[in-house]
Amino acid sequence: MKLSALVLLGCLVTADAVAQDIHRASFQCADDTVIPVTGAGAAPDVLVLMKGFNSRFPVSLTANLIQRAAEGRLQSAEKNSIKNGFFMTAEDDDGNVVMARVWNRSDGHRILGINFHVMADVLYDERVCFYDYDPAKETLTSYRDNPVSAFRPQFSTSTGMIKTYYSLEKNGVVVMNETVDGLLFGMTSEYAWNGSGFAFRGAGFSLTGKAYETVRGISPSEYAFYDIDGDGNSELLFRDRNHAAAVIVAVTPNAGFDEKKWNQPEVILSRTAEKDEFGLPEFAFYEKGAGLIGECGSGCRSFSYVALDRGRIASRAEGYMLTPEELERLGGPENTDAGSCRISWRDGKSGELSYTEVQDYVQKLGKTVKADIKWYPLTSLEKP
């Protein structure tokens, strides 16, 4: 074999090793681990802790930065970054990067967070690991008892392709979820550093089209995820500060009837905070859908029912009908106006429903469900 070929082969092997060590470390560091950091003392900076971490999970990018620091070859921006508790390597040829940050705890311990930004297939992945530095023992121990390590996306898509990215900031961690199957929807969760750990502060969302306009219109302050029909595709709920106005949004591709807007979230049901003499309409949840039921006068009930199929709106029935008591007074369902109740289907068909057909429609939604909905602070709402 010629020397040039040997050199080329050596370069390829080295490049492959560089590409592999960051992937290996990003997966293995999630295991429960204790790492000695000999001589770190009571107040090690992020560089010292990363040197200890890299001795257990070696990554060439990290080793190169540590070596340059030892030789006094860091740029001023890198020095300032490390001084402020943040560590970031240069990118390799594939765009892989290692980032880390230290947070000082009130009990003298330190939390080290490491973020691996790695190329996976044709897209980037990010994985984080957290460690607790004990100054008495001079060890880094896996810090798993925190909400960031336990974070999982609360929604799903048709392909399950959701990318999660992390921003390690001085005042906490921001977790960003983006869909990669075309759905125009995103979520940003904020975890604030409180001196002893990370506390969930709330989340912000990006929505498009009518969903964005409808949600913005109620001045939302809280959000919740709730899987209405139990199919694994959670719907997204918003409500205002007074819990009067609310919107339910489907966030799966092709959620609505419009095939041209297959990638946009769709409003399932919404109510405003404006009360009339009969009060506010109420949401009702069923095994296969949801409804919004209110009053429209003496003996009259307004309604909007939605049947769901795998996170998509399968049909919508709406209108008004007489209460059972009023029907009995008038002599039965045959005395109702069929034109007051209409239905629309995914295939574009629509029509009128009689009182009895509305009852059949509601029965097919299944049993009523007492929804266990947990609400959280909404920090922002914007368009993508």
Side-chain angles (χ1 to χ4, degrees), residues 105-154:
R105 281 191 11 177
S106 55
D107 61 359
H109 285 225
R110 299 196 168 196
I111 299 300
L112 173 68
I114 306 103
N115 182 9
F116 296 94
H117 180 83
V118 297
M119 170 61 76
D121 298 324
V122 296
L123 297 170
Y124 286 100
D125 275 340
E126 288 193 354
R127 305 182 190 100
V128 292
C129 298
F130 293 88
Y131 288 82
D132 182 331
Y133 175 73
D134 185 338
K137 298 179 180 179
E138 292 189 332
T139 57
L140 286 167
T141 304
S142 299
Y143 176 55
R144 304 175 66 87
D145 186 22
N146 72 88
V148 182
S149 294
F151 177 87
R152 298 292 182 274
Q154 293 174 274

Side-chain angles (χ1 to χ4, degrees), residues 89-107:
T89 71
E91 293 184 3
D92 65 12
D93 292 339
D94 291 326
N96 298 316
V97 180
V98 179
M99 294 164 278
R101 182 175 287 280
V102 167
W103 295 271
N104 299 331
R105 281 191 11 177
S106 55
D107 61 359

Side-chain angles (χ1 to χ4, degrees), residues 180-354:
V180 295
D181 55 6
L183 180 62
L184 299 179
F185 171 70
M187 177 181 178
T188 301
S189 304
E190 301 178 19
Y191 293 87
W193 177 254
N194 60 16
S196 60
F198 302 103
F200 182 61
R201 179 173 173 265
F205 294 87
S206 59
L207 298 171
T208 56
K210 182 180 178 182
Y212 170 77
E213 298 297 338
T214 303
V215 175
R216 186 185 66 168
I218 69 167
S219 299
S221 65
E222 294 180 309
Y223 79 93
F225 280 103
Y226 176 63
D227 186 356
I228 294 176
D229 56 348
D231 64 346
N233 297 295
S234 294
E235 283 66 50
L236 180 57
L237 288 69
F238 296 93
R239 71 182 184 186
D240 69 348
R241 191 175 305 278
N242 298 318
H243 306 169
V247 181
I248 306 176
V249 179
V251 292
T252 56
N254 206 16
F257 289 165
D258 192 341
E259 297 291 338
K260 296 179 181 179
K261 298 180 180 179
W262 69 273
N263 61 342
Q264 293 194 15
E266 180 72 14
V267 174
I268 296 176
L269 293 168
S270 67
R271 73 179 187 195
T272 68
E274 298 178 2
K275 295 182 180 180
D276 57 23
E277 59 182 308
F278 304 105
L280 287 169
E282 296 291 337
F283 285 124
F285 294 96
Y286 303 86
E287 293 174 311
K288 298 179 181 179
L292 184 63
I293 305 167
E295 302 296 328
C296 51
S298 178
C300 177
R301 182 172 297 152
S302 62
F303 68 89
S304 180
Y305 294 106
V306 175
L308 296 177
D309 175 25
R310 293 168 295 175
R312 304 178 304 172
I313 299 176
S315 61
R316 183 189 299 275
E318 51 194 350
Y320 61 89
M321 57 187 176
L322 300 179
T323 63
E325 295 77 14
E326 187 67 9
L327 279 174
E328 183 178 357
R329 188 181 70 81
L330 294 175
E334 63 273 10
N335 295 314
T336 62
D337 177 11
S340 64
C341 305
R342 299 193 60 82
I343 186 169
S344 302
W345 301 90
R346 282 196 68 83
D347 59 9
K349 295 180 180 179
S350 61
E352 299 177 348
L353 293 177
S354 67

Side-chain angles (χ1 to χ4, degrees), residues 52-72:
F53 174 82
N54 209 57
S55 68
R56 174 65 177 82
F57 300 106
V59 176
S60 300
L61 286 171
T62 303
N64 290 340
L65 193 154
I66 293 171
Q67 181 65 30
R68 287 194 297 109
E71 296 172 353

